[in-house]
Amino acid sequence: MKHQNPGCGGGHDDPAQTLQQALANISAEIHPVEGFECVATRDALDRVLYAPVHSTVNVPAHSNSAMDGYALLGAGLPAEGERAFRVIGTAFAGHPFAGQVGDGECVRIMTGAPVPEGADTVVMQERVRREDDHAHIGSGHRPGDNVRMAGEDIKAGAVALEPGLLLRPAHLGLIASLGIGEVKVRRRPRVAFFSTGDELASIGEPLGPGQIYDSNRYTLFGMLQRLGVEVVDLGVVRDTREDLEQAFQLAASQADAIVTSGGVSVGEADFVTETLDKIGEVGFWTVAIKPGRPIAFGRVQGALFFGLPGNPVSVMVTFYQLVQPALRILAGIAAPEAPALVTAVLESRLKKKPGRREFQRGVLQMDADGTCKVSPAGRQGSGILRSMAEANCFIVLPEDYGNVEAGAEVTVQPFAGLC
Ligand code: AMP
Ligand code: MG
């Protein structure tokens, strides 16, 4: 880890890293957690695949019809005019036709039914004129039409799913289609989190003079939960060196990663970075984003450490932009998806100074004609959690942007349920 001593000039006024640089630094530092468990296929939803899933069968298992129609040998189809084929039986899904289809014969076949011996083509029923026990078929069909070949989706023995995949419903279905009932998934990362601040009261405690309720532990809980990690809530820690050191040790002994809020700026009661420097390693601690800086990133006895700012909006922005991608790597996701970005028309003017990448809170809506529009969600101060609660997206304003006028196209990052 690139060491930066906050006491020796690595401080708040250092030229900050861009978000891109910070993310590159973080991802160079992080390795997936070790260990796996075997779970029932349904319990593998939202878990990360640990070992490849090999197919033991062909999918589909047998060549079958993609249509309701008539199965026959394609070579016998007429090049012009019409030919009559004698209907010798019926094949349903789950009830194959047992006999052999000869020249000039066909079998009435339903979608999903195995294509009978001697046939290789299905003519859809809309293209067939049926008269008693004969099917009259014209030209314009090709051998092999409307047949799904055995092993066309997945061949027996092939790798059906690669390790590192975050399993979605489609993957569960695919695993089930192979007849596999148990999956090896990577252990979930354990993430310990706590709030720092003498002013913080927990729910259930009366508010003393100058106190506020600790909200960061709730937003962090929700975001960690959404990411599917195991959470360890270590409560509120007082602004003393001793309490912080103890909390750091406890967290590092229990978790793969630690997320804290507050105490990372340069105030007189901000001891988080100092403590990290004393008992762990500091990677960097300024990122050119707003809201959000400074942030402490480092390591305490093998656990990753993210010291987020105390302001409630800053916590959520820095978690979304920095901690989320880091935890996805820690979870073993091989190719984390790029954030879904939307281009939208800005409804009212936004103020901004060039320098930092800003994440303003917005409400994204779609017009009846499909145009995406975004308007700022109330007052944008980094302490105003209400702006997050009312918003459904970040309006992303790049470093070099100044003010942005109404009507301009801007990039928007939907919360997608995480915030
Ligand atoms: P700090 O980063 O510790 O200087 O805190 C910045 C601001 O965020 C201060 O106004 C704090 O009172 C507030 N704050 C810090 N931690 C929390 C928390 N857990 N819940 C709500 N507000 C907080
Ligand atoms: Mg504080």
Side-chain angles (χ1 to χ4, degrees):
M1 178 172 299
K2 223 170 63 206
H3 189 83
Q4 237 190 45
N5 187 341
C8 303
H12 198 204
D13 295 328
D14 264 11
Q17 313 188 46
T18 64
L19 180 61
Q20 268 344 92
Q21 288 164 336
L23 286 171
N25 282 341
I26 286 178
S27 63
E29 278 293 320
I30 301 178
H31 305 288
V33 293
E34 302 283 342
F36 66 86
E37 55 185 313
C38 291
V39 299
T41 299
R42 283 186 184 180
D43 296 330
L45 185 64
D46 292 331
R47 301 294 302 267
V48 179
L49 193 60
Y50 186 81
V53 172
H54 288 279
S55 179
T56 51
V57 293
N58 276 321
V59 180
H62 43 72
S63 297
N64 68 92
S65 179
M67 291 279 183
D68 294 330
Y70 292 83
L72 45 76
L73 185 65
L77 284 163
E80 52 192 38
E82 224 183 47
R83 184 175 180 195
F85 293 82
R86 194 164 65 86
V87 182
I88 58 168
T90 306
F92 292 94
H95 301 282
F97 173 75
Q100 172 94 19
V101 183
D103 186 39
E105 294 176 340
C106 68
V107 162
R108 173 92 175 100
I109 194 166
M110 311 307 158
T111 305
V115 174
E117 291 274 320
D120 61 3
T121 305
V122 172
V123 177
M124 62 194 283
Q125 66 184 32
E126 291 82 350
R127 304 278 305 273
V128 172
R129 187 169 56 79
R130 177 79 187 257
E131 252 177 31
D132 302 324
D133 64 346
H134 278 81
H136 298 264
I137 297 172
S139 59
H141 305 285
R142 280 170 317 179
D145 273 359
N146 303 317
V147 172
R148 303 187 283 219
M149 299 301 290
E152 172 180 294
D153 289 349
I154 305 164
K155 294 233 175 344
V159 173
L161 297 174
E162 300 277 358
L165 197 65
L166 178 64
L167 296 170
R168 294 184 279 108
H171 303 126
L172 296 200
L174 200 134
I175 292 167
S177 76
L178 305 177
I180 295 173
E182 208 177 60
V183 188
K184 237 184 212 184
V185 292
R186 194 175 285 275
R187 176 173 76 79
R188 284 194 180 100
R190 294 192 90 198
V191 182
F193 63 109
F194 58 86
S195 297
T196 71
D198 284 352
E199 75 279 32
L200 302 177
S202 292
I203 293 175
E205 292 171 7
L207 284 182
Q211 281 202 308
I212 57 170
Y213 284 115
D214 171 13
S215 60
N216 290 345
R217 240 169 357 111
Y218 287 80
T219 45
L220 282 177
F221 165 82
M223 295 178 92
L224 289 167
Q225 199 75 16
R226 281 278 206 264
L227 287 186
V229 300
E230 271 182 43
V231 296
V232 183
D233 183 350
L234 295 180
V236 173
V237 176
R238 297 295 152 210
D239 285 322
T240 71
R241 292 181 170 89
E242 298 69 38
D243 286 350
L244 277 173
E245 207 171 310
Q246 221 174 28
F248 272 51
Q249 304 278 12
L250 180 66
S253 71
Q254 300 192 6
D256 303 296
I258 306 166
V259 181
T260 69
S261 70
V264 283
S265 46
V266 290
E268 295 197 351
D270 293 331
F271 302 128
V272 168
T273 318
E274 186 187 310
T275 308
L276 181 61
D277 193 41
K278 183 177 168 201
I279 65 166
E281 286 173 81
V282 182
F284 64 81
W285 70 310
T286 48
V287 180
I289 59 175
K290 186 181 174 187
R293 75 170 189 180
I295 301 149
F297 169 68
R299 213 173 259 286
V300 183
Q301 295 156 18
L304 289 171
F305 182 90
F306 300 92
L308 307 183
N311 272 313
V313 177
S314 306
V315 168
M316 299 194 79
V317 170
T318 51
F319 187 99
Y320 189 107
Q321 304 300 337
L322 284 156
V323 182
Q324 169 189 202
L327 293 184
R328 289 191 192 277
I329 299 171
L330 192 65
I333 300 174
E337 278 175 35
L341 299 174
V342 176
T343 301
V345 177
L346 185 62
E347 299 249 65
S348 57
R349 182 172 201 265
L350 289 180
K351 286 213 257 183
K352 180 184 182 295
K353 286 196 207 114
R356 292 199 259 167
R357 176 168 288 242
E358 281 197 25
F359 297 94
Q360 303 213 8
R361 275 69 69 208
V363 180
L364 177 67
Q365 278 171 319
M366 198 164 75
D367 272 1
D369 68 356
T371 317
C372 288
K373 290 185 168 175
V374 68
S375 43
R379 291 174 53 216
Q380 297 279 330
S382 61
I384 303 171
L385 197 50
R386 187 164 161 191
S387 68
M388 282 298 296
E390 288 174 357
N392 61 8
C393 66
F394 293 119
I395 306 170
V396 185
L397 303 177
E399 288 80 355
D400 56 343
Y401 272 40
N403 297 337
V404 189
E405 301 304 324
E409 283 197 339
V410 288
T411 299
V412 159
Q413 198 171 37
F415 289 166
L418 185 65
C419 296

